Amino acid sequence: MPDFDLIVIGGGPGGYVAAIRAAQLGMTVACVEKRATLGGTCLNIGCIPSKALLQSSEHFAEAQHAMAQHGVKIDGVSLDLPTMMTRKDKVVTANTSGVDYLFRKHKIERVTGAAAFAGPGTLLVDGKTALKAKSFIIATGSDSVPLNGVPVDEKTILSSTGALSLDAVPKHLVVVGGGYIGLEMGSVWGRLGAEVTVVEFLDRIVPNMDTETGSALHRVLQKQGFTFKLGTKVASAKNGTGGVTLALEPANGGDAQELKADAVLVSIGRRPYTEGLGLEKAGVVLDNKGRVIVDKHFATNVPGIYAIGDVIAGPMLAHKASEEGVACAEIIAGQHGQVNYDAIPAVIYTAPEVASVGKTEEELKAAGVSYKTGKFPFTANARARANADTEGFVKVLADAATDRVLGVHIIGQDAGTMIAECVVAMEFAASAEDIGRICHAHPTLNEAVKEAALAADGEAIHI
Ligand code: FAD
Ligand code: NAI
């Protein structure tokens, strides 16, 4: 007799959301999580603590540099890092204990310990307790990719986890990898006073982003004091009393160069996490990148075992994991859950934020799609001027023949919130004209989305 209808392995935004949805649908559910708190990477050491520090550090930077133009004089601004860190920890606890509450509310059995399959239908927790279920969802997430020759000690050579908990501002922070984590955590410590150098292997930062938008982000971060060393790799790191000495080499080969740092953040990507899960005993197959292979119903090759979130293919984003959690629970319940992978937004929470949904210009060109572009700068948006925050633009890409919106890329204040209307538009297969004809409140930043949509047909009003 199975103990549960469903056992979810991993209590992150994929796993905990799947567990709640399954309980709503009438299943008896357990969630096995090895961490002491629920919420996974995202709530404990990812999205939430990083956004708490981004918010606090932005207040610090604004108090120093952005208030005088508003006629607000602030003298003697100083940093209280312990208070900033304590607030961040409290935000994390509020969120993780919120998931505990939701589990109690939905009568989900929370099992603490490391899960490992003993066979296709049985799970061992910490090698002892054997749990049986009709179905299992693997939602074990991801972990940082290590860099050869640069071993993380979480003191001076950090992963994102260490970079969220430093007890002093490093004088010089070297970030290896110019992606999401490097630019967000580089922003935090840069605002708090660190000199930040980003070493990026490729010849551009954020390689998957629309190139024009990525170049705009590069320029604005440079203005904020970031130094970028593109086309460069770190060959080795020597940890000494005076900090870390890195040996840098051109990515395409050439002479090495030394760079000294007080702290180094290694943020060169994340990889699926299946260590110790006993997948070989269950017979679950992985691809050549270590991801659990699933079909479009999240089913692995073993009947009754499903997988979602960072441990399967696709963008490693919390909201993608959660959407998959909902869809997978619905499929197990015999419903028709699905995820629209063409309309998953992505946001980098720098200042300005960068947000996108759908295709980039490069992807459309590569696919041979004929498209038109509408662009609107925030310098021409009344609210952005009133806010004294006019950096950036909205760019709408629409099919040249049908006018259907194929992608939207925004760099600007609150881009992460603004992208939501573009996601809705794409979900409803809107045309650029549809967005252009929708009444947007004035004065709002979102008017720039409407104007960019109008600009796709040369009909923007304010440029
Ligand atoms: P996870 O959240 O990684 O959860 C998996 C859980 O499974 C973990 O708690 C782990 O302990 C547990 N587990 C693993 N193996 C076992 C086992 N054998 N037994 C029991 N439990 C196990 N994404 C965004 O969308 N927005 C952001 O702003 C954002 N910021 C981020 C900032 C940082 C610094 C990092 C590192 C990531 C960020 N992400 C962000 C990515 C986001 O955290 C992940 O995409 C998301 O957490 C994936 O959810 P998941 O449920 O698949 O896995
Ligand atoms: P990333 O994939 O975003 O960026 C890694 C960068 O490192 C790339 O630019 C890559 O070219 C570069 N790189 C790879 N190997 C390198 C090397 N040897 N030397 C120098 N550069 C190298 O990975 P990151 O920043 O570690 O984040 C992991 C994932 O976590 C993200 O892809 C994203 O899915 C998620 N995340 C999401 C956030 C958000 O939604 N705001 C915030 C933080 C993380």
Side-chain angles (χ1 to χ4, degrees), residues 147 177 179-181 184 200-202 207 267-269 316-317 347 349:
L147 179 57
Y180 282 74
I181 292 177
E184 289 187 355
E200 165 60 51
F201 185 79
L202 299 176
S267 49
I268 58 165
M316 288 183 166
L317 297 173
V347 182
Y349 296 86

Side-chain angles (χ1 to χ4, degrees), residues 309-459:
D310 279 11
V311 82
I312 67 169
M316 288 183 166
L317 297 173
H319 41 280
K320 176 261 192 188
S322 297
E323 291 304 317
E324 290 178 341
V326 168
C328 185
E330 290 174 351
I331 288 166
I332 293 171
Q335 300 186 353
H336 301 283
Q338 58 151 332
V339 175
N340 177 3
Y341 290 98
D342 291 331
I344 294 181
V347 182
I348 304 186
Y349 296 86
T350 42
E353 293 178 351
V354 186
S356 60
V357 60
K359 303 285 185 226
T360 63
E361 263 199 89
E362 293 68 41
E363 284 169 337
L364 293 177
K365 277 184 194 146
V369 176
S370 175
Y371 65 93
K372 53 190 175 176
T373 307
K375 240 179 100 180
F376 191 83
F378 284 106
T379 45
N381 174 275
R383 182 62 183 276
R385 284 199 207 117
N387 291 354
D389 207 340
T390 54
E391 193 78 59
F393 55 80
V394 179
K395 173 165 149 182
V396 171
L397 303 170
D399 188 288
T402 65
D403 197 35
R404 183 172 173 166
V405 178
L406 302 174
V408 182
H409 305 275
I410 308 177
I411 175 165
Q413 185 194 21
D414 278 343
T417 306
M418 267 184 279
I419 201 71
E421 80 161 292
C422 310
V423 180
V424 173
M426 287 190 65
E427 275 286 354
F428 285 84
S431 64
E433 185 182 350
D434 287 330
I435 300 179
R437 287 191 183 276
I438 291 170
C439 181
H440 286 64
H442 178 74
T444 57
L445 297 173
N446 288 66
E447 286 175 290
V449 173
K450 174 188 171 94
E451 291 273 12
L454 288 170
D457 272 325
E459 292 175 357

Side-chain angles (χ1 to χ4, degrees), residues 46-47 50-51 54 142 144-148 160 175-185 199-208 229 232-234 266-271 310 314-319 345-350 354:
C47 328
S50 60
K51 266 78 253 180
L54 278 158
S142 63
S144 337
V145 171
L147 179 57
N148 270 344
S160 52
V175 172
V176 189
Y180 282 74
I181 292 177
L183 301 183
E184 289 187 355
M185 294 313 299
V199 180
E200 165 60 51
F201 185 79
L202 299 176
D203 59 2
R204 56 165 294 190
I205 57 168
V206 283
N208 296 328
K229 289 187 178 292
T232 306
K233 65 180 178 191
V234 178
V266 179
S267 49
I268 58 165
R270 293 180 64 81
R271 60 183 181 187
D310 279 11
M316 288 183 166
L317 297 173
H319 41 280
V347 182
I348 304 186
Y349 296 86
T350 42
V354 186

